[in-house]
Amino acid sequence: MTTEAKPSPRERLLSAAATLTYREGVGIGVEALCRAAGVSKRSMYQLFESKDELLAASLEQRTARYVAALLPATEDDRPPRERILHVFRQMEAQSGTPEFHGCPYLAAQIELKDRNHPASRVARQVKQNLTGFFRAEAERGGANAPDLLARQLSLFFDGAAARAGIGADTLTGLVEPTVTTLLDAAGMR
Amino acid sequence: MTTEAKPSPRERLLSAAATLTYREGVGIGVEALCRAAGVSKRSMYQLFESKDELLAASLEQRTARYVAALLPATEDDRPPRERILHVFRQMEAQSGTPEFHGCPYLAAQIELKDRNHPASRVARQVKQNLTGFFRAEAERGGANAPDLLARQLSLFFDGAAARAGIGADTLTGLVEPTVTTLLDAAGMR
């Protein structure tokens, strides 16, 4: 007996769905997902009502890790503008790795088109939370228009993630000066 | 006899591919494309080597219209910063229509994942041309770092198109102040 539990079929399906849809797109077939997870289609449909539900659950499940890799810790007491810059520095660092293909939550929404798809709903919520983080830091930092700054930063984040994900830009020397310009223009401390 | 020629099977396929992939994604099946175009699969494969080639040709074909709807005319002699703002105003206006789902050339690259896909190559070139337009205007307008400004504007354009396309932002009151901030910071005339 080992002390480490073998991942369950449910866990293997969630992991395969997250990895394969991120790398190959949401059009990936149920067969390919089950093969990668080592789970029969019959078992998959016992665990998830549909492929759509599996996609939604896989996006949901990776959220905690995604947020932890991007946002500063709650106890990180640097000034708001530094906490905002932290997010962009993290994204820039992630974008330099070969497995980076952009923001999974943006890509899922672009690919699915359908705003009512269960996975689109999950993805939208995750992105709204990121805008909410920017909004809260903007307010704390005394930005003269916190809503506007939060929208600007969200747009810039998605543009940067998208362009780095398709290889259109490396982001080197781009992210920090741009975010600084936006923070300065907003009068952020 | 009418004076207006009926669109050829080739034209109908290009048009169906452009419309359907934009609305539903690049995963759209050959059968659906042929049905929408009113062309047999056999005829399609006589006209195009593969679905991939049809996608690439459909993106290529709509380029002229896309550019005309976005960029100022060559003879438009407003100052460079106005010519740049024109692009963003056009995009913002387009994004308010129900048929807007973001930039087709960005979406195609995000969805296809494969940078060597013939349609990815077409899309990349179109986006590089837009960055080239920003770069040339930045230079003409005396921007202190034309390369940086062109990259910033490209990122902001793609972020705006992506977020408006998925309904995450309306762009109202966002695009013009942000672009103006970036142009001012670059010292653009």
Side-chain angles (χ1 to χ4, degrees), chain A residues 9-21:
Chain A
R10 184 185 158 81
E11 287 165 333
R12 299 204 304 274
L13 279 165
L14 289 171
S15 165
T19 307
L20 290 181
T21 56

Side-chain angles (χ1 to χ4, degrees), chain B:
Chain B
M1 261 176 74
T2 59
T3 46
E4 205 172 318
K6 189 176 174 267
S8 70
R10 184 186 158 80
E11 287 164 334
R12 298 205 304 274
L13 278 166
L14 289 171
S15 166
T19 306
L20 290 180
T21 56
Y22 184 54
R23 205 169 59 203
E24 304 184 21
V26 298
I28 187 94
V30 167
E31 246 121 90
L33 288 175
C34 289
R35 205 177 319 122
V39 172
S40 71
K41 265 173 82 168
R42 186 190 154 91
S43 301
M44 190 213 105
Y45 283 114
Q46 279 167 348
L47 290 160
F48 298 95
E49 221 171 276
S50 61
K51 183 191 139 189
D52 292 353
E53 293 298 334
L54 169 56
L55 287 192
S58 80
L59 283 181
E60 179 95 55
Q61 200 219 19
R62 69 188 295 175
T63 303
R65 211 174 56 182
Y66 174 82
V67 169
L70 213 50
L71 264 59
T74 318
E75 64 274 19
D76 175 342
D77 59 358
R78 284 176 296 169
R81 63 181 289 141
E82 281 303 311
R83 287 173 52 85
I84 288 173
L85 277 164
H86 174 93
V87 174
F88 286 93
R89 289 190 195 115
Q90 290 295 107
M91 195 256 282
E92 185 178 341
Q94 290 165 18
S95 76
T97 60
E99 63 272 20
F100 184 81
H101 304 290
C103 169
Y105 300 97
L106 177 66
Q109 290 179 83
I110 289 177
E111 292 173 41
L112 289 166
K113 317 285 179 198
D114 176 5
R115 295 179 192 175
N116 293 316
H117 190 291
S120 298
R121 291 172 184 274
V122 171
R124 187 161 57 241
Q125 188 57 56
V126 173
K127 304 295 292 187
Q128 279 172 358
N129 292 350
L130 181 61
T131 304
F133 167 82
F134 290 144
R135 175 73 179 71
E137 298 298 324
E139 183 107 48
R140 286 208 311 130
N144 46 41
D147 276 327
L148 176 62
L149 181 58
R151 289 169 73 200
Q152 290 175 322
L153 294 172
S154 300
L155 235 71
F156 192 71
F157 181 93
D158 280 349
R163 288 185 69 81
I166 59 172
D169 201 304
T170 59
L171 307 186
T172 309
L174 174 60
V175 168
E176 193 133 348
T178 310
V179 174
T180 302
T181 296
L182 296 173
L183 294 173
D184 288 347
M188 272 284 285
R189 287 189 294 271

Side-chain angles (χ1 to χ4, degrees), chain A residues 96-119:
Chain A
T97 61
E99 63 271 18
F100 184 81
H101 304 290
C103 168
Y105 300 97
L106 176 66
Q109 290 180 83
I110 290 177
E111 292 174 40
L112 288 167
K113 315 285 179 198
D114 176 5
R115 295 179 192 176
N116 292 315
H117 190 291

Side-chain angles (χ1 to χ4, degrees), chain A residues 15-123:
Chain A
S15 165
T19 307
L20 290 181
T21 56
Y22 185 54
R23 205 170 58 203
E24 303 184 22
V26 298
I28 187 94
V30 167
E31 245 120 90
L33 288 174
C34 289
R35 205 179 317 122
V39 171
S40 71
K41 264 171 84 169
R42 184 190 156 92
S43 302
M44 191 214 105
Y45 282 114
Q46 279 166 349
L47 290 161
F48 298 95
E49 219 171 276
S50 60
K51 183 192 141 190
D52 291 353
E53 292 299 334
L54 169 56
L55 286 192
S58 80
L59 283 181
E60 178 95 55
Q61 199 219 21
R62 70 189 295 176
T63 304
R65 210 175 58 184
Y66 174 82
V67 169
L70 213 49
L71 264 58
T74 319
E75 65 272 20
D76 176 342
D77 60 359
R78 284 176 294 169
R81 61 182 290 142
E82 279 304 309
R83 287 171 52 85
I84 288 173
L85 278 164
H86 174 93
V87 174
F88 287 93
R89 288 190 195 115
Q90 290 295 107
M91 195 256 282
E92 184 176 342
Q94 291 165 17
S95 77
T97 61
E99 63 271 18
F100 184 81
H101 304 290
C103 168
Y105 300 97
L106 176 66
Q109 290 180 83
I110 290 177
E111 292 174 40
L112 288 167
K113 315 285 179 198
D114 176 5
R115 295 179 192 176
N116 292 315
H117 190 291
S120 298
R121 291 172 184 274
V122 171

